[in-house]
Amino acid sequence: MPETIKEQTVEQLGGPSSVLARQRRDHAEMDRLMDRYSTLADGEDRERVLQETVQLVFSHAFAEETVLWPAVRRTVADGHELTLRVEEEHQQINDLVADIERLSPGAPEREEKVRRVFALIRQDIRDEEDLVLPRLQEALPATQLRRLGTAWDTVRRSAPTHPPVPYTHLRA
């Protein structure tokens, strides 16, 4: 089994434009934002950091589901099972964020959901960096990882930044 993405140099990941390096940079930024949120008192700054975290998580996940997971399913032997696990985590994150956005800042129930969603995001990062991405790295040469990185980044920049609104909310 290849080593985790977290422990490798940018060169080992295929260079700075590689999808692996781009994923790791986003994951590090998510960690930084979640840590920052936990150090702030209730208020506008804390809400802004939560919004930044949510926007990054959703654009990142959308690019994974649109560009990265199809590549994993095509090139990795058990890619379907690996991506299914991560997609289930993404759905749980979507549901929790939708709940968080319906609750008032500072509400104890909301804070508990924020803690749960942050724990899920961290689990998702570990699953991707330790299980899924090393397998993709094993299956593709650096040139393809860089091409995938460019496509992933293009999709991420135009991706949704919030969970989809359930249809039940659209009915009058």
Side-chain angles (χ1 to χ4, degrees):
M1 185 76 164
E3 64 183 303
T4 178
I5 296 304
K6 188 172 188 142
E7 299 163 355
Q8 296 182 49
T9 66
V10 170
E11 291 71 35
Q12 287 175 305
L13 296 176
S17 64
S18 158
V19 71
L20 305 177
R22 291 174 193 266
Q23 285 274 114
R24 187 173 71 183
R25 278 193 303 270
D26 267 11
H27 291 162
E29 179 62 7
M30 287 175 206
D31 269 331
R32 188 191 71 74
L33 287 167
M34 290 185 291
D35 289 346
R36 176 103 177 96
Y37 178 86
S38 64
T39 66
L40 294 169
D42 285 345
E44 282 182 32
D45 283 349
R46 194 169 204 228
E47 285 305 302
R48 184 185 44 74
V49 169
L50 181 60
Q51 270 320 109
E52 281 181 49
T53 307
V54 166
Q55 289 173 355
L56 176 57
V57 165
F58 280 95
S59 61
H60 178 93
F62 184 83
E64 286 175 341
E65 292 168 12
T66 305
V67 175
L68 195 53
W69 300 157
V72 170
R73 287 191 286 271
R74 276 192 313 273
T75 61
V76 174
D78 56 350
H80 182 75
E81 291 76 20
L82 286 169
T83 57
L84 194 59
R85 174 178 174 170
V86 173
E87 287 172 339
E88 286 170 0
E89 289 170 349
H90 288 184
Q91 187 56 54
Q92 291 173 22
I93 291 166
N94 286 357
D95 294 345
L96 276 168
V97 168
D99 289 348
I100 289 165
E101 290 183 342
R102 282 193 289 271
L103 296 166
S104 305
E109 182 185 1
R110 186 175 191 256
E111 284 307 304
E112 175 54 30
K113 288 181 186 288
V114 169
R115 279 192 292 282
R116 284 177 44 210
V117 83
F118 283 4
L120 264 172
I121 291 166
R122 287 190 165 107
Q123 179 62 51
D124 185 64
I125 289 169
R126 280 192 302 278
D127 288 344
E128 290 173 10
E129 290 190 358
D130 298 348
L131 303 172
V132 181
L133 298 175
R135 300 290 303 283
L136 183 67
Q137 182 180 32
E138 206 172 49
L140 294 178
T143 53
Q144 282 185 273
L145 292 172
R146 286 191 292 274
R147 271 196 297 266
L148 206 51
T150 301
W152 176 89
D153 191 57
T154 299
V155 168
R156 184 173 121 3
R157 290 176 189 279
S158 62
T161 56
H162 282 82
V165 177
Y167 292 116
T168 55
H169 292 96
L170 301 177
R171 290 188 201 124

